[in-house]
Amino acid sequence: MFKSKYLQRVFSECLRKNPGEDEFIQAVSEFMEAIDLIVDEDPDIERLGIIERLVEPERLIIFRVPWVDDAGRVRVNRGYRVQYNSAIGPYKGGTRFDPSVNQSIIKFLGFEQTFKNALTGLPLGGAKGGSDFDPAGKSEGEVMRFCQSYMAELFRHLGSNIDIPAGDLGAGAREVGFMFGYYRKIRNEFTGTFTGKGLSYGGSVLRPQATGFGLCYFAREMLSNLRGEDLKGKRVVISGSGNVGSNAAVKAKELGAIIVGMSDISGMIASEKGLDVEFVKELKDGRRLISEYPLYRTDVSFSADYRDLWKVQADIAFPCATQNEVKLEDAKNIVKSGVMMVCEGANMPCTAEAIDLFLEKQILFAPGKAANAGGVSTSGLEMSQNAQHISWSASEVDAKLREIMKNIYQNCYRTSVRVGHPGNLVIGANIAGFLKVYDAMKAQGII
Ligand code: NDP
Ligand code: 2IT
């Protein structure tokens, strides 16, 4: 429990008001554990009700999304957008299409996004959206009709200075294209109201790669700063081989690492010599499964249980699939496999128990809100390009992304030192993100 009486009170109220929202409570609890170190030093935080306001989203939109499948049947999904906090900029965050999506998951993602976006140093508030729609196994026409119906309701809440969605799990370039196209049609204007757009219609070069690339830049900075080492020759395991995982694999390999294991929902593959990550990306970009990899390549082992990934001997782990995929049992396997650093590419992929074990074993650990911020940072760069009607080259965007990830790392590290927990980036990231949002909220009155 928290040492601050104020946090104890706000947390129990939060539990009472959000029954059954386990993921949201988990995210709030990690945040509160970190700020417990500083919250009582500044009486204004309590006087101004800052934490009570932070655990309440500014707005939560829930709506019906009806669409017609290829057989002519009417289907109904539930759509969400949480406009979590706009103290430092317009609402900004991705869109998740997955059957698991519910209010708790959307709220935890919006809460995390608020502090992540603060860490980027860009003027971006926090938001998240999505639906319990499952794109897997749907035809392109079905996905398009669903995206159009989702947009037919959500459009009224969006705008290039109001709320700017992007993709996330289950929503990639194809879905962003369908949503943006419909938004543009019904608004009758062409503005940068989405990020992750295609290059031919206002997208930024490197946005598709940015989260995975940024994760590697962050990991490299952390390894160098805390251990005096680099990624060269390090054996890396990566869960999830979607947008984040596959691009992290490509960049880590380019930086000299050997990718010894990867996974998707069909299972995991491992190879001591290193996987052909470009081929994994090709398979996944073609919406195929990692279980097909052994049909085309030798020197590889396969297990239909994706959690076996964490038993592969490695130096670094990048969990890049989904929340709470790394449970205590997986964390024990990660420790046993000799891993010295875990960087979260996904949002909250490690349970609280898993993180505690890593910290106890002195494994370097980077939380998603810092390590995976490269995606939204590049979305911020896409917004700037759209607003100025220009486009930067790949090398310009890459240079800015490297700089941003380095700054995020340094900000988190310096903060961890200042509060007496050097190298604890869970503490550093949460406090550094909080202080920026707090400062903006304090200046703008009770709203
Ligand atoms: P994608 O949908 O592109 O990819 C998700 C991948 O994870 C797929 O390969 C999927 O397998 C796999 N997967 C899902 N559940 C599991 C599981 N339990 N174990 C192993 N693999 C699994 O999503 P993204 O890469 O965009 O997102 C991944 C994570 O990163 C999410 O937490 C997201 O919120 C976070 N994130 C994404 C950002 C972005 O810019 N896209 C930015 C920052 C964070 P299959 O293909 O077989 O379905
Ligand atoms: O979780 C995330 O940071 C994202 N899905 C990216 C959000 C964005 O607006 O680019």
Side-chain angles (χ1 to χ4, degrees):
M1 238 320 149
F2 316 109
K3 75 173 171 17
S4 160
K5 291 258 169 354
Y6 170 48
L7 287 185
Q8 287 176 18
R9 179 165 54 75
V10 179
F11 188 67
S12 55
E13 219 10 40
C14 190
L15 282 175
R16 190 185 65 74
K17 281 188 175 175
N18 301 286
E21 295 193 8
D22 296 347
E23 295 83 2
F24 178 62
I25 296 295
Q26 183 184 342
V28 166
S29 153
E30 176 196 295
F31 164 78
M32 284 195 184
E33 262 178 42
I35 63 160
D36 199 18
L37 289 166
I38 56 148
V39 80
D40 287 342
E41 286 169 9
D42 179 353
D44 277 353
I45 299 176
E46 180 168 358
R47 183 178 67 82
L48 298 172
I50 296 289
I51 311 301
E52 291 91 323
R53 284 195 273 155
L54 278 174
V55 297
E56 201 64 58
E58 288 176 13
R59 191 173 297 108
L60 175 63
I61 304 150
I62 301 181
F63 50 100
R64 184 173 67 200
V65 189
W67 54 282
V68 181
D69 69 17
D70 287 346
R73 270 197 318 263
V74 175
R75 306 273 198 112
V76 179
N77 286 99
R78 188 172 289 175
Y80 299 87
R81 184 81 184 162
V82 66
Q83 297 184 328
Y84 205 97
N85 191 295
S86 58
I88 65 170
Y91 304 113
K92 178 80 194 95
T95 308
R96 179 176 292 196
F97 293 151
D98 191 77
S100 65
V101 164
N102 59 31
Q103 182 166 313
S104 169
I105 288 177
I106 293 294
K107 280 173 63 183
F108 113 69
L109 288 164
F111 183 78
E112 292 275 297
Q113 197 80 43
T114 298
F115 303 105
K116 181 196 303 192
N117 292 3
L119 288 172
T120 67
L122 301 171
L124 303 169
K128 199 82 186 192
S131 173
D132 56 0
F133 174 76
D134 186 359
K138 302 287 188 305
S139 71
E140 195 161 290
E142 289 177 325
V143 171
M144 182 182 74
R145 291 193 292 280
F146 167 79
C147 288
Q148 292 179 339
S149 180
Y150 180 79
M151 215 19 67
E153 174 56 34
L154 191 60
F155 82 98
R156 66 188 91 251
H157 303 286
L158 307 179
S160 57
N161 287 308
I162 302 170
D163 185 354
I164 307 95
D168 189 72
L169 194 143
R174 176 182 67 175
E175 289 74 16
V176 168
F178 290 148
M179 288 189 281
F180 176 74
Y182 200 70
Y183 176 83
R184 183 174 67 70
K185 178 185 163 80
I186 53 183
R187 275 273 194 234
N188 193 30
E189 62 175 23
F190 197 115
T191 54
T193 301
F194 271 82
T195 62
K197 301 186 291 299
L199 266 187
S200 57
Y201 57 96
S204 173
V205 64
L206 287 192
R207 174 61 189 91
Q209 295 87 348
T211 312
F213 282 20
L215 177 68
C216 294
Y217 298 150
F218 188 98
R220 185 173 60 170
E221 196 62 31
M222 182 167 170
L223 204 52
S224 149
N225 184 250
L226 296 176
R227 290 282 189 276
E229 295 180 32
D230 72 15
L231 286 173
K232 225 166 261 154
K234 294 282 185 302
R235 294 165 304 165
V236 180
V237 285
I238 302 175
S239 65
S241 40
N243 174 282
V244 181
S246 68
N247 286 298
V250 167
K251 179 54 79 175
K253 186 176 168 194
E254 191 188 306
L255 296 174
I258 307 155
I259 316 307
V260 291
M262 290 184 78
S263 66
D264 71 3
I265 211 74
S266 72
M268 56 74 76
I269 49 174
S271 164
E272 264 177 52
K273 288 189 182 155
L275 296 166
D276 180 349
V277 297
E278 288 80 12
F279 182 59
V280 172
K281 187 162 162 30
E282 199 183 308
L283 275 177
K284 297 306 299 180
D285 286 351
R287 302 183 191 282
R288 293 165 70 185
L289 294 170
I290 223 164
S291 54
E292 293 178 49
Y293 182 98
L295 301 175
Y296 302 92
R297 294 289 184 275
T298 50
D299 286 330
V300 62
S301 57
F302 172 77
S303 159
D305 182 356
Y306 51 72
R307 291 174 74 186
D308 283 344
L309 178 77
W310 308 123
K311 297 178 184 160
V312 176
Q313 296 294 306
D315 305 301
I316 296 173
F318 289 157
C320 297
T322 192
Q323 68 276 347
N324 291 329
E325 53 166 313
V326 179
K327 307 194 187 328
L328 183 58
E329 198 190 321
D330 304 306
K332 285 180 183 163
N333 285 330
I334 289 174
V335 172
K336 257 193 248 156
S337 312
V339 165
M340 45 114 55
M341 177 165 90
V342 178
C343 291
E344 293 187 330
N347 287 308
M348 209 169 73
C350 301
T351 62
E353 296 76 28
I355 299 175
D356 287 346
L357 183 71
F358 296 144
L359 296 179
E360 183 200 313
K361 300 287 180 193
Q362 304 200 328
I363 287 173
L364 306 183
F365 179 78
K369 59 168 75 74
N372 74 32
V376 75
S377 300
T378 308
S379 282
L381 301 179
E382 183 171 333
M383 287 162 65
S384 300
Q385 293 172 75
N386 291 165
Q388 296 173 75
H389 304 282
I390 55 167
S391 54
W392 293 321
S393 68
S395 61
E396 283 172 302
V397 175
D398 196 41
K400 288 181 204 296
L401 175 62
R402 284 171 199 241
E403 191 60 26
I404 289 170
M405 296 315 293
K406 194 170 170 177
N407 288 341
I408 294 174
Y409 172 75
Q410 284 171 354
N411 185 10
C412 295
Y413 178 69
R414 272 198 310 270
T415 307
S416 75
V417 172
R418 193 156 50 75
V419 299
H421 292 264
N424 183 327
L425 298 189
V426 178
I427 289 174
N430 279 293
I431 295 181
F434 165 71
L435 289 176
K436 176 152 182 193
V437 179
Y438 165 43
D439 189 63
M441 286 175 75
K442 188 173 171 180
Q444 294 174 48
I446 312 299
I447 47 173

